[in-house]
Amino acid sequence: MTRRVAILISGRGSNMASLIEAAQAASFPAEIALVLSNRPDAEGLERAKAAGIATLAIDHKAFPDRESFDRVLDAALVEHDIAFICLAGFMRVLTDWFVERWAGRMINIHPSLLPLYRGTQTHRRALADGVLVHGCTVHFVVPELDAGPIIAQAVVPVVPDDTEESLAARVIVQEHQLYPQALRMICDGTARLENGRVMFSRGWDASGTLHSPRDAVRNGSQ
């Protein structure tokens, strides 16, 4: 079954583009049915339109509080018959009401190896701590920020002459590979949220998708 997916963005939609590209494959179990932004001028909306995908802007500034915005957001997703949500640079803190309503059906990609470096400035903090590896994580969204159960991770080495910019550039390459893999996993039922934990039902398939706890870490050193 092909699942209808909405991507939520606030900016240019770099990870959005990788998800759209992956979903064009006939074997991919998801259809990117909607790209939605809280910023009407988000560059990613035009990129999505160019790909023939429905777009919608709901300006959060028009609402008196977060829950009012979230309820309109939820109504729009229901209207478009959305099964799963991918957050891709969506710069809004969602209310507990919204997160709990979409529990197990909303994922996010974060530029660190969670639980390390929740929040912002992850590359700068990793370099300041002198870590040898860094990376990115796809996780289910829960009310606590960047604390949801992990679906998959990708690891990159930190080299001696790294800057914040060079490290970020290597991590984003892995993000663009990892996020579509994680979306495939939740849409085909390989990964699912049960009692607050991610459960994996199969191993590797013919496409090379990461499908088990041990396999859900990609080495991005090459």
Side-chain angles (χ1 to χ4, degrees):
M1 179 192 304
T2 300
R3 313 304 291 269
R4 289 174 60 84
V5 173
I7 304 174
L8 273 54
I9 64 170
S10 294
R12 62 191 179 94
S14 172
N15 274 301
M16 174 202 73
S18 69
L19 293 169
I20 291 173
E21 181 178 0
Q24 291 173 349
S27 62
F28 201 80
E31 170 196 358
I32 307 305
L34 177 68
V35 171
L36 190 152
S37 179
N38 65 308
R39 297 182 182 275
D41 60 349
E43 182 181 342
L45 291 173
E46 293 304 318
R47 298 176 72 178
K49 288 178 184 177
I53 296 170
T55 62
L56 180 63
I58 304 175
D59 191 346
H60 67 276
K61 295 178 182 178
F63 297 87
D65 52 52
R66 291 187 182 276
E67 185 166 330
S68 298
F69 170 81
D70 284 2
R71 288 187 178 275
V72 172
L73 173 61
D74 175 73
L77 295 168
V78 171
E79 181 180 354
H80 284 81
D81 195 25
I82 297 302
F84 291 101
I85 299 171
C86 291
L87 303 182
F90 188 65
M91 305 305 291
R92 291 284 298 171
V93 176
L94 295 163
T95 60
D96 290 1
W97 174 84
F98 185 91
V99 172
E100 290 165 1
R101 179 164 169 77
W102 288 89
R105 298 184 292 154
M106 180 164 54
I107 61 176
N108 180 52
I109 190 159
H110 182 75
S112 81
L113 295 174
L114 292 173
L116 296 175
Y117 309 121
R118 297 178 184 177
T120 61
Q121 300 181 337
T122 61
H123 310 308
R124 180 182 304 177
R125 291 155 63 196
L127 290 173
D129 285 348
V131 298
L132 298 180
V133 294
H134 190 44
C136 55
T137 303
V138 180
H139 62 95
F140 283 107
V141 177
V142 298
E144 185 179 352
L145 184 65
D146 299 331
I150 293 170
I151 301 167
Q153 295 183 308
V155 179
V156 300
V158 179
V159 299
D161 60 348
D162 255 333
T163 63
E164 188 175 348
E165 292 73 21
S166 66
L167 183 56
R170 289 206 307 286
V171 171
I172 196 69
V173 170
Q174 293 304 310
E175 289 183 34
H176 292 169
Q177 297 179 38
L178 192 70
Y179 212 1
Q181 291 180 345
L183 178 58
R184 175 188 287 274
M185 292 166 72
I186 67 166
C187 286
D188 69 10
T190 297
R192 63 192 185 280
L193 188 63
E194 288 188 5
N195 299 318
R197 299 183 62 183
V198 179
M199 304 299 294
F200 298 87
S201 61
R202 294 195 301 275
W204 289 83
D205 69 9
S207 70
T209 301
L210 307 177
H211 280 338
S212 77
R214 289 186 179 181
D215 296 331
V217 177
R218 170 182 286 277
N219 187 331
S221 60
Q222 298 181 346

